[in-house]
Short mmCIF file of all heavy atoms in Angstrom, two decimals:
data_model
loop_
_atom_site.label_atom_id
_atom_site.label_comp_id
_atom_site.label_asym_id
_atom_site.label_seq_id
_atom_site.Cartn_x
_atom_site.Cartn_y
_atom_site.Cartn_z
N ASN A 16 3.48 -0.81 -7.06
CA ASN A 16 3.77 0.53 -7.47
C ASN A 16 4.27 1.38 -6.28
O ASN A 16 5.20 2.17 -6.40
CB ASN A 16 2.54 1.20 -8.09
CG ASN A 16 2.20 0.60 -9.43
OD1 ASN A 16 3.06 0.09 -10.14
ND2 ASN A 16 0.93 0.71 -9.82
N PHE A 17 3.63 1.21 -5.12
CA PHE A 17 4.04 1.91 -3.91
C PHE A 17 5.46 1.50 -3.53
O PHE A 17 6.32 2.33 -3.23
CB PHE A 17 3.06 1.65 -2.80
CG PHE A 17 3.30 2.41 -1.53
CD1 PHE A 17 2.77 3.65 -1.35
CD2 PHE A 17 4.08 1.85 -0.50
CE1 PHE A 17 3.01 4.38 -0.17
CE2 PHE A 17 4.30 2.53 0.68
CZ PHE A 17 3.77 3.80 0.84
N TRP A 18 5.69 0.20 -3.53
CA TRP A 18 7.03 -0.36 -3.18
C TRP A 18 8.10 0.21 -4.10
O TRP A 18 9.15 0.63 -3.66
CB TRP A 18 6.97 -1.87 -3.25
CG TRP A 18 8.28 -2.58 -2.95
CD1 TRP A 18 8.72 -2.99 -1.71
CD2 TRP A 18 9.30 -2.90 -3.90
NE1 TRP A 18 9.98 -3.57 -1.84
CE2 TRP A 18 10.34 -3.52 -3.17
CE3 TRP A 18 9.46 -2.73 -5.28
CZ2 TRP A 18 11.53 -3.96 -3.77
CZ3 TRP A 18 10.62 -3.17 -5.87
CH2 TRP A 18 11.63 -3.79 -5.15
N GLN A 19 7.82 0.18 -5.42
CA GLN A 19 8.80 0.67 -6.40
C GLN A 19 9.17 2.12 -6.19
O GLN A 19 10.33 2.51 -6.28
CB GLN A 19 8.28 0.42 -7.81
CG GLN A 19 9.29 0.75 -8.91
CD GLN A 19 10.52 -0.13 -8.84
OE1 GLN A 19 10.40 -1.34 -8.77
NE2 GLN A 19 11.69 0.50 -8.81
N CYS A 20 8.13 2.91 -5.91
CA CYS A 20 8.36 4.35 -5.69
C CYS A 20 9.26 4.58 -4.48
O CYS A 20 10.01 5.56 -4.44
CB CYS A 20 7.03 5.05 -5.50
SG CYS A 20 7.14 6.85 -5.40
N GLY A 21 9.20 3.68 -3.50
CA GLY A 21 9.94 3.88 -2.28
C GLY A 21 11.36 3.30 -2.28
O GLY A 21 12.07 3.44 -1.29
N GLN A 22 11.79 2.70 -3.41
CA GLN A 22 13.13 2.11 -3.46
C GLN A 22 14.18 3.20 -3.73
O GLN A 22 13.89 4.29 -4.22
CB GLN A 22 13.20 1.07 -4.57
CG GLN A 22 12.25 -0.10 -4.35
CD GLN A 22 12.34 -0.69 -2.95
OE1 GLN A 22 13.37 -1.23 -2.55
NE2 GLN A 22 11.27 -0.57 -2.19
N GLN A 23 15.42 2.86 -3.43
CA GLN A 23 16.51 3.81 -3.64
C GLN A 23 16.67 4.21 -5.09
O GLN A 23 17.16 5.29 -5.41
CB GLN A 23 17.81 3.22 -3.11
CG GLN A 23 17.85 3.01 -1.62
CD GLN A 23 19.20 2.54 -1.09
OE1 GLN A 23 20.23 3.04 -1.55
NE2 GLN A 23 19.22 1.62 -0.14
N THR A 24 16.24 3.29 -5.99
CA THR A 24 16.31 3.61 -7.41
C THR A 24 15.10 4.36 -7.91
O THR A 24 15.03 4.76 -9.09
CB THR A 24 16.44 2.30 -8.23
OG1 THR A 24 15.34 1.43 -7.89
CG2 THR A 24 17.76 1.58 -7.91
N GLY A 25 14.11 4.56 -7.06
CA GLY A 25 12.90 5.27 -7.39
C GLY A 25 12.94 6.70 -6.85
O GLY A 25 13.98 7.14 -6.33
N PRO A 26 11.83 7.42 -6.97
CA PRO A 26 11.81 8.80 -6.50
C PRO A 26 11.83 8.94 -4.97
O PRO A 26 12.17 9.98 -4.45
CB PRO A 26 10.51 9.36 -7.09
CG PRO A 26 9.66 8.14 -7.28
CD PRO A 26 10.61 7.03 -7.66
N GLY A 27 11.48 7.87 -4.28
CA GLY A 27 11.43 7.91 -2.82
C GLY A 27 10.05 8.34 -2.31
O GLY A 27 9.31 8.99 -2.99
N LEU A 28 9.78 7.95 -1.06
CA LEU A 28 8.53 8.30 -0.38
C LEU A 28 8.90 9.05 0.90
O LEU A 28 9.76 8.58 1.64
CB LEU A 28 7.68 7.08 -0.10
CG LEU A 28 7.10 6.38 -1.33
CD1 LEU A 28 6.59 5.00 -0.93
CD2 LEU A 28 5.96 7.24 -1.90
N PHE A 29 8.24 10.17 1.14
CA PHE A 29 8.61 11.04 2.26
C PHE A 29 7.40 11.42 3.12
O PHE A 29 6.30 11.56 2.62
CB PHE A 29 9.23 12.33 1.73
CG PHE A 29 10.55 12.15 1.00
CD1 PHE A 29 10.56 11.70 -0.31
CD2 PHE A 29 11.74 12.42 1.62
CE1 PHE A 29 11.73 11.52 -1.00
CE2 PHE A 29 12.93 12.26 0.95
CZ PHE A 29 12.94 11.81 -0.36
N LEU A 30 7.66 11.59 4.41
CA LEU A 30 6.73 12.23 5.31
C LEU A 30 7.53 13.20 6.16
O LEU A 30 8.58 12.85 6.71
CB LEU A 30 6.06 11.20 6.23
CG LEU A 30 4.87 10.40 5.65
CD1 LEU A 30 4.39 9.40 6.68
CD2 LEU A 30 3.74 11.32 5.23
N GLN A 31 7.06 14.43 6.22
CA GLN A 31 7.73 15.50 6.97
C GLN A 31 9.19 15.60 6.57
O GLN A 31 10.10 15.75 7.37
CB GLN A 31 7.62 15.24 8.49
CG GLN A 31 6.17 15.20 8.97
CD GLN A 31 6.09 14.83 10.45
OE1 GLN A 31 7.05 14.99 11.21
NE2 GLN A 31 4.93 14.34 10.87
N ARG A 32 9.46 15.50 5.23
CA ARG A 32 10.78 15.63 4.65
C ARG A 32 11.72 14.48 5.06
O ARG A 32 12.92 14.54 4.84
CB ARG A 32 11.45 16.96 5.00
CG ARG A 32 10.66 18.17 4.49
CD ARG A 32 11.43 19.47 4.76
NE ARG A 32 10.68 20.62 4.20
CZ ARG A 32 11.11 21.85 4.26
NH1 ARG A 32 12.26 22.13 4.89
NH2 ARG A 32 10.38 22.83 3.75
N ARG A 33 11.17 13.43 5.60
CA ARG A 33 11.98 12.26 5.97
C ARG A 33 11.66 11.11 5.02
O ARG A 33 10.53 10.74 4.81
CB ARG A 33 11.65 11.84 7.39
CG ARG A 33 12.49 10.67 7.88
CD ARG A 33 12.29 10.46 9.37
NE ARG A 33 13.14 9.40 9.88
CZ ARG A 33 13.24 9.10 11.17
NH1 ARG A 33 12.54 9.79 12.07
NH2 ARG A 33 14.03 8.14 11.60
N GLN A 34 12.73 10.55 4.43
CA GLN A 34 12.53 9.45 3.51
C GLN A 34 12.19 8.19 4.30
O GLN A 34 12.82 7.87 5.31
CB GLN A 34 13.76 9.20 2.65
CG GLN A 34 13.50 8.15 1.56
CD GLN A 34 14.56 8.08 0.50
OE1 GLN A 34 15.61 8.73 0.66
NE2 GLN A 34 14.30 7.35 -0.55
N LEU A 35 11.20 7.46 3.81
CA LEU A 35 10.73 6.29 4.49
C LEU A 35 11.43 5.02 3.99
O LEU A 35 11.85 4.95 2.80
CB LEU A 35 9.21 6.11 4.27
CG LEU A 35 8.36 7.33 4.66
CD1 LEU A 35 6.91 7.08 4.34
CD2 LEU A 35 8.52 7.64 6.17
N ALA A 36 11.58 4.06 4.85
CA ALA A 36 12.13 2.75 4.48
C ALA A 36 11.00 1.85 4.06
O ALA A 36 10.05 1.62 4.80
CB ALA A 36 12.90 2.15 5.67
N ILE A 37 11.09 1.31 2.85
CA ILE A 37 9.99 0.54 2.26
C ILE A 37 10.48 -0.87 1.91
O ILE A 37 11.52 -1.06 1.30
CB ILE A 37 9.47 1.22 0.97
CG1 ILE A 37 9.11 2.69 1.22
CG2 ILE A 37 8.32 0.44 0.38
CD1 ILE A 37 7.94 2.88 2.17
N ASN A 38 9.71 -1.85 2.30
CA ASN A 38 10.02 -3.23 1.92
C ASN A 38 8.72 -4.04 1.93
O ASN A 38 7.67 -3.58 2.36
CB ASN A 38 11.04 -3.85 2.85
CG ASN A 38 11.88 -4.91 2.15
OD1 ASN A 38 11.50 -5.45 1.12
ND2 ASN A 38 13.01 -5.24 2.73
N TRP A 39 8.82 -5.26 1.42
CA TRP A 39 7.65 -6.16 1.44
C TRP A 39 7.38 -6.67 2.83
O TRP A 39 8.25 -6.72 3.68
CB TRP A 39 7.89 -7.34 0.49
CG TRP A 39 7.97 -6.95 -0.95
CD1 TRP A 39 9.07 -7.05 -1.75
CD2 TRP A 39 6.95 -6.36 -1.73
NE1 TRP A 39 8.80 -6.56 -3.02
CE2 TRP A 39 7.48 -6.13 -3.04
CE3 TRP A 39 5.63 -5.98 -1.49
CZ2 TRP A 39 6.75 -5.58 -4.07
CZ3 TRP A 39 4.90 -5.44 -2.51
CH2 TRP A 39 5.45 -5.20 -3.79
N ALA A 40 6.12 -7.05 3.06
CA ALA A 40 5.71 -7.70 4.31
C ALA A 40 4.78 -8.84 3.96
O ALA A 40 4.48 -9.09 2.79
CB ALA A 40 5.00 -6.66 5.20
N LYS A 41 4.36 -9.54 4.99
CA LYS A 41 3.48 -10.68 4.79
C LYS A 41 2.16 -10.43 5.52
O LYS A 41 2.15 -9.86 6.59
CB LYS A 41 4.13 -11.96 5.33
CG LYS A 41 5.40 -12.33 4.65
CD LYS A 41 6.03 -13.58 5.27
CE LYS A 41 7.36 -13.94 4.61
NZ LYS A 41 7.97 -15.16 5.22
N CYS A 42 1.07 -10.85 4.92
CA CYS A 42 -0.22 -10.74 5.54
C CYS A 42 -1.16 -11.83 5.00
O CYS A 42 -0.89 -12.40 3.93
CB CYS A 42 -0.84 -9.36 5.33
SG CYS A 42 -1.32 -9.01 3.63
N PRO A 43 -2.24 -12.14 5.70
CA PRO A 43 -3.17 -13.16 5.23
C PRO A 43 -3.79 -12.80 3.89
O PRO A 43 -3.89 -11.62 3.50
CB PRO A 43 -4.22 -13.23 6.34
CG PRO A 43 -3.60 -12.57 7.53
CD PRO A 43 -2.65 -11.55 7.00
N ALA A 44 -4.21 -13.80 3.15
CA ALA A 44 -4.92 -13.57 1.89
C ALA A 44 -6.19 -12.80 2.14
O ALA A 44 -6.84 -12.94 3.19
CB ALA A 44 -5.21 -14.90 1.21
N LEU A 45 -6.58 -11.98 1.21
CA LEU A 45 -7.80 -11.16 1.35
C LEU A 45 -9.02 -12.03 1.14
O LEU A 45 -9.10 -12.78 0.17
CB LEU A 45 -7.78 -10.03 0.35
CG LEU A 45 -8.77 -8.90 0.53
CD1 LEU A 45 -8.63 -8.25 1.89
CD2 LEU A 45 -8.63 -7.88 -0.58
N ASP A 46 -9.99 -11.92 2.05
CA ASP A 46 -11.21 -12.70 1.97
C ASP A 46 -11.99 -12.35 0.71
O ASP A 46 -12.11 -11.16 0.34
CB ASP A 46 -12.09 -12.44 3.21
CG ASP A 46 -13.23 -13.41 3.33
OD1 ASP A 46 -14.25 -13.17 2.65
OD2 ASP A 46 -13.11 -14.39 4.07
N ASN A 47 -12.53 -13.34 0.06
CA ASN A 47 -13.28 -13.14 -1.21
C ASN A 47 -14.47 -12.23 -1.02
O ASN A 47 -14.88 -11.49 -1.92
CB ASN A 47 -13.73 -14.47 -1.82
CG ASN A 47 -12.58 -15.22 -2.47
OD1 ASN A 47 -11.62 -14.60 -2.94
ND2 ASN A 47 -12.70 -16.54 -2.55
N SER A 48 -15.11 -12.29 0.17
CA SER A 48 -16.26 -11.44 0.42
C SER A 48 -15.89 -9.95 0.40
O SER A 48 -16.66 -9.11 -0.07
CB SER A 48 -16.91 -11.79 1.74
OG SER A 48 -16.04 -11.51 2.81
N ILE A 49 -14.68 -9.64 0.86
CA ILE A 49 -14.23 -8.25 0.83
C ILE A 49 -13.92 -7.82 -0.62
O ILE A 49 -14.26 -6.71 -1.04
CB ILE A 49 -12.98 -8.07 1.73
CG1 ILE A 49 -13.35 -8.33 3.18
CG2 ILE A 49 -12.40 -6.67 1.56
CD1 ILE A 49 -12.21 -8.23 4.15
N ILE A 50 -13.28 -8.72 -1.38
CA ILE A 50 -12.99 -8.42 -2.78
C ILE A 50 -14.27 -8.12 -3.54
O ILE A 50 -14.37 -7.16 -4.31
CB ILE A 50 -12.24 -9.57 -3.43
CG1 ILE A 50 -10.86 -9.76 -2.74
CG2 ILE A 50 -12.06 -9.35 -4.92
CD1 ILE A 50 -10.10 -10.98 -3.24
N MET A 51 -15.31 -8.93 -3.32
CA MET A 51 -16.58 -8.75 -4.02
C MET A 51 -17.25 -7.45 -3.58
O MET A 51 -17.85 -6.73 -4.39
CB MET A 51 -17.50 -9.92 -3.77
CG MET A 51 -16.99 -11.23 -4.37
SD MET A 51 -16.67 -11.11 -6.15
CE MET A 51 -18.34 -10.82 -6.76
N ALA A 52 -17.17 -7.13 -2.28
CA ALA A 52 -17.80 -5.89 -1.80
C ALA A 52 -17.11 -4.67 -2.38
O ALA A 52 -17.78 -3.69 -2.69
CB ALA A 52 -17.73 -5.87 -0.25
N VAL A 53 -15.79 -4.75 -2.56
CA VAL A 53 -15.09 -3.64 -3.20
C VAL A 53 -15.51 -3.47 -4.65
O VAL A 53 -15.79 -2.39 -5.12
CB VAL A 53 -13.55 -3.86 -3.12
CG1 VAL A 53 -12.80 -2.87 -3.96
CG2 VAL A 53 -13.09 -3.82 -1.66
N LYS A 54 -15.59 -4.59 -5.36
CA LYS A 54 -15.93 -4.55 -6.77
C LYS A 54 -17.39 -4.18 -7.04
O LYS A 54 -17.69 -3.37 -7.93
CB LYS A 54 -15.63 -5.89 -7.44
CG LYS A 54 -14.15 -6.24 -7.54
CD LYS A 54 -13.94 -7.56 -8.24
CE LYS A 54 -12.47 -7.91 -8.38
NZ LYS A 54 -12.27 -9.21 -9.03
N GLU A 55 -18.30 -4.73 -6.26
CA GLU A 55 -19.73 -4.56 -6.51
C GLU A 55 -20.39 -3.36 -5.78
O GLU A 55 -21.33 -2.80 -6.30
CB GLU A 55 -20.47 -5.85 -6.15
CG GLU A 55 -20.04 -7.08 -6.98
CD GLU A 55 -20.75 -8.32 -6.54
OE1 GLU A 55 -21.54 -8.28 -5.57
OE2 GLU A 55 -20.54 -9.38 -7.17
N LYS A 56 -19.82 -3.03 -4.61
CA LYS A 56 -20.45 -1.98 -3.82
C LYS A 56 -19.56 -0.76 -3.59
O LYS A 56 -19.99 0.20 -2.94
CB LYS A 56 -20.91 -2.55 -2.47
CG LYS A 56 -21.88 -3.70 -2.55
CD LYS A 56 -22.24 -4.26 -1.20
CE LYS A 56 -23.20 -5.43 -1.29
NZ LYS A 56 -23.53 -5.97 0.04
N GLY A 57 -18.30 -0.85 -4.07
CA GLY A 57 -17.40 0.24 -3.81
C GLY A 57 -16.97 0.33 -2.37
O GLY A 57 -16.62 1.42 -1.86
N ALA A 58 -16.95 -0.80 -1.67
CA ALA A 58 -16.61 -0.82 -0.25
C ALA A 58 -15.21 -0.28 -0.03
O ALA A 58 -14.29 -0.51 -0.82
CB ALA A 58 -16.72 -2.23 0.32
N SER A 59 -15.03 0.40 1.09
CA SER A 59 -13.71 0.93 1.45
C SER A 59 -13.70 1.15 2.98
O SER A 59 -14.68 0.92 3.66
CB SER A 59 -13.45 2.27 0.74
OG SER A 59 -14.22 3.31 1.29
N ARG A 60 -12.56 1.62 3.47
CA ARG A 60 -12.44 1.96 4.91
C ARG A 60 -13.10 3.32 5.20
O ARG A 60 -13.27 3.67 6.35
CB ARG A 60 -10.96 2.03 5.32
CG ARG A 60 -10.20 0.75 5.13
CD ARG A 60 -8.80 0.86 5.71
NE ARG A 60 -8.03 1.94 5.12
CZ ARG A 60 -7.39 2.91 5.80
NH1 ARG A 60 -7.45 2.90 7.12
NH2 ARG A 60 -6.72 3.84 5.18
N HIS A 61 -13.46 4.04 4.15
CA HIS A 61 -13.91 5.42 4.28
C HIS A 61 -15.43 5.53 4.17
O HIS A 61 -16.02 5.09 3.16
CB HIS A 61 -13.24 6.27 3.20
CG HIS A 61 -11.76 5.98 3.11
ND1 HIS A 61 -10.84 6.49 3.98
CD2 HIS A 61 -11.07 5.21 2.23
CE1 HIS A 61 -9.64 6.06 3.66
NE2 HIS A 61 -9.74 5.28 2.60
N LEU A 62 -16.05 6.09 5.16
CA LEU A 62 -17.50 6.22 5.21
C LEU A 62 -17.88 7.69 5.25
O LEU A 62 -17.31 8.49 5.98
CB LEU A 62 -18.07 5.54 6.46
CG LEU A 62 -17.76 4.04 6.62
CD1 LEU A 62 -18.27 3.57 8.00
CD2 LEU A 62 -18.43 3.26 5.51
#
């Protein structure tokens, strides 16, 4: 959804009135323990 919003055919994503360049990237698979902590405990980066 974030990627689609940032495409030229979408509404665009902006910071300080500047349109951002959006594309896919690669990253490691998410560890199952983190997935479970998010689902069961509401874990997040925010404390």
Side-chain angles (χ1 to χ4, degrees):
N16 290 335
F17 184 88
W18 178 91
Q19 185 62 51
C20 187
Q22 300 309 296
Q23 295 186 40
T24 56
L28 291 166
F29 295 79
L30 280 177
Q31 300 175 22
R32 299 185 178 181
R33 182 171 184 173
Q34 187 167 10
L35 305 176
I37 306 296
N38 208 341
W39 295 115
K41 299 178 181 179
C42 68
L45 193 58
D46 190 277
N47 284 334
S48 64
I49 295 178
I50 297 174
M51 295 304 296
V53 170
K54 291 182 178 179
E55 297 178 357
K56 301 178 181 179
S59 73
R60 300 187 302 129
H61 314 281
L62 302 174

